[in-house]
Every structure is written in structure tokens, then in C-alpha cells.
Amino acid sequence: APRIVTLGEALVSLRSVGPLTIGGPLSMHAAGAELNVAVALARLGYASSWGGVLGDDELGEFILRSLAAERVDTTHVRRDTRPTAIMFLEARTPEVSRIFYHRKDSAGARLSPHDVDRLLDRDLAWLHLTGITPALSEGARAAVLHAAQTCRRRSVPFSVDVNFRSKLWSEQEAAEVLPWLTEGAEVVIGSPEELALAAPAGKTLEAAAEELLASGVGEVVAKLGAAGARAFTGRHVLDAPAFPVRAVDTVGAGDAFTAGYLSARLDGEDVAARLRRGCLLGAFAVGHLGDWEGLPRRDELDLLDRGPGETHR
Ligand code: ATP
């Protein structure tokens, strides 16, 4: 079957219920932007593969087990002697969280172009990349740029979520690399600030979108948080509102949105329906603790259509 492939770094996220300095219980989740997208697409019924390097440790085993339970293919995952990365998500107040990474020199950063070639086999229908992986190491940067280049050469459609992470690299470093990643992508997604980074001459969202479209990008999609999302296709500019939900945990909303948008596109839906599905998955993500645990299966996509507080019998 045609496959949607993502590759990147997976981490174990440990979520606190209060300040980390106080200690107390932590919940353990598989995380990572590309992993989140892979799980979201598998939930919607796609053949979804995640590629990357995991530590040859219990945490790596936990991530593999989580992906297997979600029916994400991990055939080409490599194991390494370096540890699997960890992140702490500290719920400092109900509204404010902080993230602390323990990802330096982790197994995930050992990704190399060799890992990519095995992943991008004949069944590849779509590749999804993010701007996190090229910030991890020289090898990881070479790997994602090679993956994008392979797609351009083989005319396989691919998407990029800019996902700028200031703890991993500077805006200047990102601005140098991102255009090499996004060139020729079918879909580029990001916040307005991130899209401006990927299109260095474009200061406003409109200018950035125009510049990206001129570089051969098919669609530029801006995630606007609780304000919804906006898509630029060259011919149209379309807006979609967010779904009204009580935000419990906004981490992972962006990845859920991306998966929703891509899935509607793969289903052959128009841009308005893609934005709607993106916002719908974003709403599922913010309404639930955890990056992807609350995301819908295909038969649950209409769950938010009825009003809040309803019990479906
Ligand atoms: P993150 O990096 O935290 O995963 P992001 O900044 O990449 O998130 P956002 O723009 O915050 O992405 O959220 C993505 C989508 O999720 C939005 O376009 C919107 O549809 C939905 N969303 C986000 N926050 C809310 C909210 N408070 N209520 C409803 N929907 C939301």
C-alpha cells in the first residue's frame, strides 16, 4: 500500500503535575513532532511509517512498543548505543508549561543519510519532514536534506513543518538551512514567524507566503493557535476558525493540525476541507493531555460536531 513516511527524533516526554523542583508523579509518553504526525495519520487509517534512531535502552523499547500499538510501521528504525532523548514537560500553572530537554548527543541525533535511503522505498507516497531534525546534528541535517532532495528527484510529494526550536539553533542558522528544505515542497506549514524564517526576505506572513510559493512550494499554511489557520495557494487565501474547545494541553496541537491537513489533502479534499480537518485535529489535541493520545480515529472525526457537554449514546 502507498505509505506516508516521516523521520526525525523521538523522545520520551515526562509530564509533571506541578513544579519539577517539588518532585511527585510523572507520566511517560512517546513524543517528537514527526512521531506525533505518524501516529495521527495511522489513527486515520493510513499506512504510516516512522524512521529514526532510538537508543538501545528501555526508553527506545517503550517508544517502539507505543508505535506498534498505534500501528505505525517501524521496520527501518535503527538502534544505537547512545541514550534515547528525554524531555520534561513541567505544568507550572494550568496555563503555563515549560519544557526541558535532555537530548544532547542522544541516539536520535545519530540519524544519517544512510538511514534515509532504506526508508524511502518504492511504496513511498508522501514524506513529511520538520525543521527540528536538521537542528540536531550535522548528520541529521544531511539526512533530512537528502530526504527532501530524493523526493524532488523522484517527484514524490513532501511536506515540511518549519517547527523552529530556539534551544537547538539560532534564527540565523535556521534561515540558512530552511530554504534548502522547503524548496519544491507540496505543503509548508508553520506559525507566521516560522514561515518568515523559512522565507528570509518575507517579513510579513503574506510576503513570506508569496516568496515560498515563488520558490516552488505548492501550499503555504499558517497555524494561528486559537485563531485557527490560513492557507495560501497562489490563487487563493483561505481562513478557517479554530474549533471551540477547552484547552487542557496545547503541546502537540501543531503536529495534530499538520496531520489533519495532510490527511484531507491525501483524501483529495479541497483547501477549505484541509484547513477544517487540520483545525479539528488541533482541537482534539488541545482538549486532551498528551501530544497524540486524544487524537481521533477516522470514525470519530464528527465527534466535535455536536455541542459541548453531550454524551453520545
Ligand atoms: P505546538 O508547537 O504547541 O504543537 P503550534 O504553535 O505549532 O503548536 P498552534 O497554532 O498553537 O500550533 O495550534 C495548531 C492548531 O491547533 C491551530 O491552528 C488550531 O486549529 C488548533 N488550536 C490551537 N490552540 C487551540 C485552542 N486553544 N482552541 C482550539 N483550537 C486550538
Side-chain angles (χ1 to χ4, degrees):
R3 290 205 154 268
I4 306 161
V5 172
T6 68
L7 67 136
E9 181 181 40
L11 308 89
V12 166
S13 91
L14 298 172
R15 285 167 189 261
S16 76
V17 288
L20 280 175
T21 51
I22 300 302
L26 296 165
S27 61
M28 181 170 167
H29 308 259
E34 302 88 355
L35 178 148
N36 294 342
V37 171
V39 170
L41 289 168
R43 285 254 174 121
L44 292 175
Y46 294 94
S48 163
S49 296
W50 178 83
V53 186
L54 293 173
D56 198 4
D57 50 19
E58 303 308 299
L59 301 188
E61 207 56 40
F62 164 70
I63 289 171
L64 278 184
R65 185 184 165 91
S66 306
L67 288 171
E70 295 295 330
R71 301 184 180 86
V72 173
D73 168 66
T74 55
T75 312
H76 297 299
V77 169
R78 187 161 64 78
R79 308 295 287 273
D80 187 271
T81 51
R82 301 292 311 162
T84 302
I86 298 173
M87 67 184 240
F88 287 90
L89 226 159
E90 179 193 47
R92 195 58 192 74
T93 74
E95 280 77 35
V96 178
S97 302
R98 293 193 289 199
I99 291 181
F100 302 99
Y101 294 110
H102 292 241
R103 80 196 308 182
K104 205 169 165 17
D105 301 322
S106 69
R110 292 255 171 128
L111 190 71
S112 81
H114 293 292
D115 297 308
V116 170
D117 287 330
R118 284 179 292 142
L119 251 175
L120 306 185
D121 56 13
R122 265 172 294 126
D123 286 342
L124 178 65
W126 190 285
L127 175 73
H128 177 68
L129 301 169
T130 82
I132 298 174
T133 315
L136 293 173
S137 68
E138 287 294 318
R141 181 173 308 177
V144 286
L145 292 176
H146 174 61
Q149 187 57 30
T150 302
C151 285
R152 284 180 209 116
R153 205 184 59 235
R154 285 168 38 186
S155 300
V156 172
F158 69 101
S159 47
V160 177
D161 187 337
V162 178
N163 260 329
F164 175 66
R165 293 289 185 265
S166 60
K167 283 185 177 163
L168 295 177
W169 57 352
S170 68
E171 290 195 4
Q172 288 88 324
E173 286 175 283
E176 266 173 44
V177 172
L178 289 171
W180 296 98
L181 190 59
T182 57
E183 185 198 339
E186 281 293 325
V187 180
V188 173
I189 299 182
S191 66
E193 300 76 32
E194 289 172 336
L195 293 170
L197 257 188
K203 290 206 176 57
T204 64
L205 173 59
E206 288 67 28
E210 206 171 296
E211 191 181 336
L212 286 165
L213 292 169
S215 78
V217 170
E219 289 161 33
V220 176
V221 186
K223 295 179 283 192
L224 306 172
R230 176 175 298 169
F232 301 82
T233 67
R235 274 184 299 161
H236 308 281
V237 181
L238 265 97
D239 281 307
F243 283 73
V245 285
R246 184 149 46 89
V248 183
D249 172 9
T250 59
V251 180
D255 304 326
F257 173 90
T258 294
Y261 190 93
L262 295 180
S263 76
R265 159 134 193 183
L266 290 159
D267 288 352
E269 304 276 5
D270 63 14
V271 176
R274 296 172 201 173
L275 284 171
R276 186 177 187 282
R277 174 104 48 98
C279 289
L280 179 62
L281 258 71
F284 271 101
V286 301
H288 198 280
L289 268 182
D291 289 4
W292 49 263
E293 284 83 346
L295 294 183
R297 293 188 314 267
R298 189 167 283 270
D299 61 346
E300 294 173 326
L301 282 175
D302 61 0
L303 214 49
L304 303 186
D305 288 351
R306 283 188 257 172
E310 273 211 41
T311 302
H312 297 240
R313 296 181 198 276

